[in-house]
Structure formats: structure tokens, C-alpha cells
Amino acid sequence: MLPYIDAPFAYAASTLGASTDEIKLIFSFLLSYPLAALLKRIPENKPSYKNIYIISVSLFYLLGLFDLWGGVRTILISSIGAYTIAYAIDGPFMPWIGFAFLMGHLSLNHINRKLVNDPSAVDITGAQMVLVMKLTAFCWNVHDGRLPEEELGDDFQKQRALKSLPDLLEYAAYVLFFPSLFAGPAFDYTEYRAYIETTMFQVPPGTDPSKAPPTRKKRRIPRSATPAMFKLVKGLLWLVAFLRLSAWYYPEILLGDRLLGYNILRRIWTMHMVGFTVRTKYYAVWGLTEGACIMSGIGFNGFSPESGQINWDKLQNVDPVGVELAQNSRAYLGNWNINTNNWLRNYMYLRVTPKGKKPGFRASMATFVTSAFWHGFESGYYMAFMLAALIQTVAKNARRLLRPFFMAPDGKTAGNSKIYYDVFSWTITQLAFSFTVAPFILLSFSSTITIWARVYFYCVIGVAASLAFLASPGKPWLRKQLAARNKPKSTVAIDGEPKTQHTANASASGSPLQRSESHEYFKGATLGMPDDPGQDLDEIMESLKEEVRLRRDRGQSIGQGLTEAVQAKLREVEAEKLKREKAS
């Protein structure tokens, strides 16, 4: 640590009632803005200079500001280990070996942080969580680059495939990209390379020059100060909101005697506001780091050739409005920690799914376990995840069974009473997640049970009752009511065209549906939550029953044939390797 650097931060901490490390962290976020502006001004034909600059700033943060020598060691172990695995190991298991190494290393630090138990101190665990996302993706990108292009699943894999390993300087700069060092956002190596080589800013041929992104002098990186400052201001406003609200709504109030003097509605309101207050801290941090990334230029996400409008949302990690106004669980979770959602979907959920098959129970369970271990080992995380998975099941069924009653019979046009459904679904969603996020804040099992008991386990009871209804004759009855309601009526003529009475009513109403972010909008398991746990369990049970039936038909015992299956898989892997060698 640099001499005397702690003095101003200690004074500010004592004045604001925060810890010295927390003040330093905010300072590093703010300092990243002018430093990112300088990064953008380094000559674009000198990418090595940019890489050296990025590494130098991060080392200043880690060593000069926070004295995290152990943190530098942790980053070195993870990054050197991942690079070595990608270099030395060939074959389909390489990304999984990298994943196991990186997650195992992170798990050790999670355990160490739990033993230290100092939430106000900045350690390397947060940065390591971001690093795990980046380096596991890096291993998969290297693996994809070794495959023939026709074997890659989709455009996402093709665009991010690495045909060769990067040089160590550029790799180190990718690992230590300072605007997102401590809190993210994470991004793939190909995105960093496109940024450092400025290929991501290429203007398509034939673009109207007046619609091209404005740049300064001969730089290819568009001007980004205005959108970056906009993010900075919003981040600071969220920070002020957190500082103000945390004086009234703090986690300890949920466990104190003061809450017992409130009625049930005020207890629920207090629990909701504690959750909202905690979220404002994340809105502030993620907004500030995203703004620094925009200032550097890496947040560029293309532009519209027609209007010239530039998009700077490539690394957006949270949509506060989307979370706070969410009308269903998928929208709530899908707008939170967006980059983690993308990482879990692209590098776990879809990767454990055999080619040509749809993701099912295995993909959902692997994603769930990955998300849980990535967050840490506090019991509160697992309580929140399990309850959220059940809420997803209830919400998905409720949307299918209840929402159509508030729509026109064509299912596409909002009915006159749709506003009541919207208000009701928003209220239920926010109440459910106010309850669900409590263990994520309190972390311990006993504390979670205490606050849940103080609000009479309303969400647990509601979910249990809903699941019981879905397993009862009530669900088929609702389906019958929907079928009768949506049954086509007599044909009438509108403007000379024959249409059903339902279509005629929809056309006459002129009230188009304003689509909300639904379950179908976010594909894949969100934050590790299965899309439909009930359906996934049904699927795995059917698969097990089918396997048992086939083995009995062949006269085999249930455990027989395991060795043959493993040997067959190994032969399949060897054949795939030989195929790739011939192709190369």
C-alpha cells in the first residue's frame, strides 16, 4: 500500500459512518472514469500500450490502494491455471477441467471469507467471482476454436471461438481490465480483443456518413462521455438513496424487537424496504462500473444505420426499472445480474445439453448447482434459490391459467380488465420476492427462519397452497373454463372478409396487447433457477422409468451395463478427436 494513502479515506469513513475499504471501493469506481478516458486516448495502433496501461492501473488498485497481495496471488493462480489448462489439454473435457479448477479455487476463498466474517472489508472474492465467469468462458471459447465450424451450435459460439491462444500480455490485460475489476461486468475474450483492436467499431460499408457514430480526430472509438456521465449520475443517485434509506431500513431491524411491535402489514413493508435498500447498493455499484466501461468504449453495442442512434448497453448488468416493475418471476430475475444470467445460460445450461436435444432436467440442475456454488456456501443462498424455483413453477402455471381470462378470446388483445391483472401480478411478484430475498440478505438459516416466522411464512404457505391446487382437480377445471371461453363462435363478415366473432370483437376493441416481459422472453435457466422444476422432475422420472423398462425387457439388472456405457462414451470421444485431427 502506498504510504499515507489511507488517511483521507479513514477521515471520510469516520464522517460518513462507513468503513475505510468501502470508501476506497467507491473512490476506485469514480477514479476509473478519468482513467478510462485516458485509455481511450492511447493510440489505437499501439494495443500493447493499452494492455500495459490496463495492467498498471489494476495493480495500483490491488496493491497501492487496497494492499491485496493475497488477492494478486489469487488472480495469478486462477488466470495462469486457466491458460495452462487451455494450452496443455485438448479434447472435449478441457473446458470442464478448467471449470472444476476455477470453481474449486473460488470455493476455497468463499470458505475463507466465511471464516473471516468481515462484510465491510474488501477482499478478492468479488473480483474472483467475475474472473470465474471470464475464464470459464475463455476455456470454452478456446475449445470451440479447435472444432470444425459446422460442429458449433449457434452463432454465439461461432463468433466467440478462439482459433489460437492470445499472447500473455493481452491475456493479462483481459484478466485485469480495471473498469470492471472488482464488481464486473464480465465479458468474453473475443469482445476484449475486438475492443483493443477497435474492430468492434467498424462502420459497415455503404453507411451514410451522417449516421455513423461521431468520433474525435482519427479515433475509431465513438464519443462516449455523455452516456458514461449519465450512468455516473444515476449510479451516484442510487448511492445517495442507499445511504439515506439504510439509516431506516437495515438488515438488523428484521431481527430486532422493534419489528415485533408492528402489525403484519408493516412488518412485510419493512422487509420489502430492507430488500429494496440492499438492491439500491447494487444498482449504484453496477451502474458506476458500467459507466466506466462505457467511458472506455467497451460498452459499445452497435448503432442504427437509419437513425444513427448508438447503443451502449453491451455490458448492462441490471435494469432497475425492470426489476422493480416486474410482473412475473422471470422478468424479476432476468433483469437482475444480467451478465451472470448470460454466463449461466451460454456456458452451463446449453453446454450440458447433448447436441440436437432440448435442455431438460440435467441442464437445469447443473445450472442450479453452479449458480449456488458460485455465490458461496451460506445457507441463505440455498434457501432463496429453492424457494425461487418453486415460485417459478407457480408463476408459470398461473400465467398460463389466469392471464387468458383478462385477455380477449383471441389471446392477443388486452381485455378491459387487463389492468387489474397487471396490478395484481406486480403486487404478488414483489411480495413473493421480498420474502424470498430475505435469506440472501441475512445469509444464516436461523436468521431467515426468524424473519419468515415474523411474517407468518406467508410466501411458503402461498406457494404450498398454489402447488396443492395445481395438483388438484382445480387445474383441469380452469383449463375447461378457458377452453369454453375461447371456443370459436359464429362467423361474421368484416369489410367483406369472413372472421370469427372473437376476431371481430378484438378488431373492434382496438386495444392491442402491451406485452410484458414474460417467461418466454428469457430463455434458459435464470440465475440457476429451472424454467419449470415440475416439468423437469417429470422428465427425469419418465427417463428413469423408460431406462428401467428397457433393462427389464433385456433381462438386465438396473446396475448392469454401466461399464459398457462408459466404454461406449470413451470410444465416442476418441472418434470425435480423430475426426478433428483429420479435419485440421
Side-chain angles (χ1 to χ4, degrees):
M1 183 186 299
L2 295 177
Y4 308 112
I5 199 169
D6 252 3
F9 299 109
Y11 174 78
S14 63
T15 303
L16 297 173
S19 73
T20 302
D21 277 357
E22 288 171 338
I23 299 298
K24 284 183 182 180
L25 191 62
I26 297 301
F27 171 77
S28 72
F29 295 154
L30 298 178
L31 182 59
S32 292
Y33 280 78
L35 294 178
L38 289 175
L39 170 62
K40 191 166 59 174
R41 284 160 174 78
I42 295 175
E44 294 174 351
N45 61 349
K46 303 286 186 182
S48 60
Y49 290 7
K50 291 188 176 185
N51 290 326
I52 292 170
Y53 177 80
I54 290 168
I55 295 169
S56 302
V57 172
S58 288
L59 289 178
F60 163 70
Y61 284 168
L62 291 166
L63 302 178
L65 193 60
F66 288 103
D67 201 29
L68 287 172
W69 290 92
V72 172
R73 182 180 66 247
T74 295
I75 291 174
L76 283 174
I77 292 172
S78 286
S79 54
I80 293 174
Y83 193 94
T84 303
I85 290 168
Y87 174 80
I89 301 176
D90 190 12
F93 297 117
M94 183 274 284
W96 297 114
I97 295 171
F99 172 83
F101 166 74
L102 292 163
M103 284 295 291
H105 189 204
L106 174 64
S107 297
L108 291 176
N109 278 334
H110 273 315
I111 293 171
N112 180 67
R113 180 173 175 82
K114 183 176 174 64
L115 294 174
V116 172
N117 193 27
D118 186 3
S120 65
V122 171
D123 72 349
I124 205 62
T125 309
Q128 192 181 7
M129 292 170 72
V130 177
L131 194 59
V132 165
M133 290 194 286
K134 293 168 75 171
L135 295 183
T136 51
F138 174 79
C139 289
W140 275 110
N141 299 153
V142 172
H143 167 70
D144 291 342
R146 293 169 177 168
L147 295 174
E149 187 169 321
E150 58 271 15
E151 290 189 19
L152 299 180
D154 52 24
D155 289 340
F156 180 90
Q157 293 180 19
K158 294 174 183 177
Q159 292 165 1
R160 287 161 174 77
L162 291 174
K163 300 298 182 182
S164 61
L165 287 170
D167 64 71
L168 293 177
L169 178 65
E170 189 166 287
Y171 177 74
Y174 166 66
V175 167
L176 294 170
F177 190 69
F178 68 86
S180 63
L181 178 64
F182 290 113
F187 47 87
D188 291 338
Y189 176 77
T190 51
E191 293 172 310
Y192 177 75
R193 174 179 283 177
Y195 162 72
I196 212 73
E197 296 176 352
T198 69
T199 56
M200 71 188 309
F201 308 108
Q202 288 179 344
V203 177
T207 301
D208 184 349
S210 65
K211 303 298 184 183
T215 60
R216 287 187 181 277
K217 299 181 181 179
K218 295 182 179 180
R219 285 203 304 267
R220 299 176 72 179
I221 301 178
R223 298 177 185 176
S224 58
T226 299
M229 289 298 103
F230 186 64
K231 284 289 182 181
L232 172 64
V233 170
K234 288 205 297 186
L236 290 175
L237 288 175
W238 282 118
L239 183 60
V240 170
F242 169 71
L243 293 173
R244 296 289 294 177
L245 289 171
S246 60
W248 302 313
Y249 301 104
Y250 44 90
E252 292 76 14
I253 197 174
L254 299 178
L255 305 175
D257 294 336
R258 180 179 168 188
L259 192 73
L260 297 175
Y262 299 159
N263 60 41
I264 180 61
L265 293 179
R266 189 171 179 185
R267 291 182 192 183
I268 293 173
W269 169 255
T270 302
M271 184 174 65
H272 171 77
M273 287 304 298
V274 169
F276 175 72
T277 301
V278 171
R279 288 196 297 278
T280 59
K281 178 174 66 174
Y282 286 95
Y283 296 156
V285 169
W286 286 337
L288 291 174
T289 55
E290 183 192 351
C293 289
I294 291 173
M295 180 66 82
S296 73
I298 200 170
F300 180 76
N301 199 24
F303 70 99
S304 169
E306 290 78 23
S307 65
Q309 177 69 37
I310 304 176
N311 298 317
W312 291 101
D313 58 355
K314 178 185 285 290
L315 300 181
Q316 183 180 14
N317 206 31
V318 67
D319 180 1
V321 175
V323 173
E324 302 304 330
L325 298 183
Q327 295 178 24
N328 56 68
S329 59
R330 290 290 283 175
Y332 190 101
L333 296 171
N335 284 300
W336 176 264
N337 212 348
I338 296 169
N339 285 288
T340 301
N341 278 322
N342 293 335
W343 170 66
L344 289 169
R345 178 183 186 274
N346 293 312
Y347 296 109
M348 179 53 65
Y349 185 71
L350 296 178
R351 297 289 182 165
V352 299
T353 304
K355 190 175 181 180
K357 294 188 177 181
K358 294 178 66 175
F361 177 80
R362 179 170 59 177
S364 296
M365 184 54 62
T367 309
F368 176 87
V369 172
T370 300
S371 181
F373 274 74
W374 181 79
H375 279 91
F377 297 103
E378 300 288 355
S379 57
Y381 295 145
Y382 299 85
M383 296 172 76
F385 282 140
M386 287 187 286
L387 180 57
L390 297 176
I391 289 173
Q392 288 253 76
T393 298
V394 172
K396 195 166 188 176
N397 281 279
R399 183 178 176 85
R400 291 170 177 170
L401 296 172
L402 297 180
R403 187 172 180 268
F405 285 106
F406 299 88
M407 307 292 293
D410 65 353
K412 299 178 181 179
T413 309
N416 294 330
S417 58
K418 175 67 163 44
I419 183 63
Y420 301 113
Y421 171 84
D422 292 340
V423 172
F424 175 77
S425 60
W426 173 80
T427 304
I428 293 297
T429 299
Q430 297 301 321
L431 285 174
F433 279 98
S434 296
F435 186 94
T436 305
V437 301
F440 229 92
I441 298 169
L442 299 174
L443 298 180
S444 74
F445 179 83
S446 59
S447 297
T448 298
I449 294 300
T450 297
I451 183 56
W452 280 2
R454 291 182 173 187
V455 293
Y456 303 107
F457 296 96
Y458 72 83
C459 188
V460 174
I461 294 172
V463 167
S466 300
L467 291 174
F469 175 82
L470 293 173
S472 73
K475 183 176 180 180
W477 178 81
L478 268 181
R479 283 178 171 170
K480 279 186 180 179
Q481 299 301 309
L482 280 177
R485 180 179 185 271
N486 295 333
K487 185 178 179 181
K489 296 183 179 179
S490 58
T491 301
V492 297
I494 297 180
D495 297 332
E497 295 292 333
K499 296 184 179 181
T500 65
Q501 187 66 49
H502 284 165
T503 306
N505 292 340
S507 302
S509 69
S511 177
L513 169 63
Q514 299 298 315
R515 183 182 178 87
S516 64
E517 289 175 303
S518 68
H519 292 269
E520 291 73 24
Y521 182 83
F522 299 101
K523 298 294 184 183
T526 311
L527 280 182
M529 300 298 106
D531 279 345
D532 190 338
Q535 180 179 334
D536 288 344
L537 287 172
D538 290 343
E539 177 186 317
I540 197 66
M541 290 305 297
E542 287 300 319
S543 299
L544 288 172
K545 289 176 182 177
E546 180 64 16
E547 181 65 20
V548 169
R549 186 187 65 78
L550 289 173
R551 288 183 180 276
R552 283 177 176 168
D553 289 346
R554 293 195 297 263
Q556 294 178 323
S557 65
I558 303 304
Q560 192 175 354
L562 179 59
T563 304
E564 291 86 344
V566 172
Q567 290 174 344
K569 184 63 178 177
L570 290 174
R571 287 194 296 271
E572 180 184 332
V573 170
E574 186 64 26
E576 182 183 347
K577 186 176 180 180
L578 289 173
K579 183 179 179 182
R580 288 204 314 273
E581 289 175 353
K582 289 180 181 179
S584 60

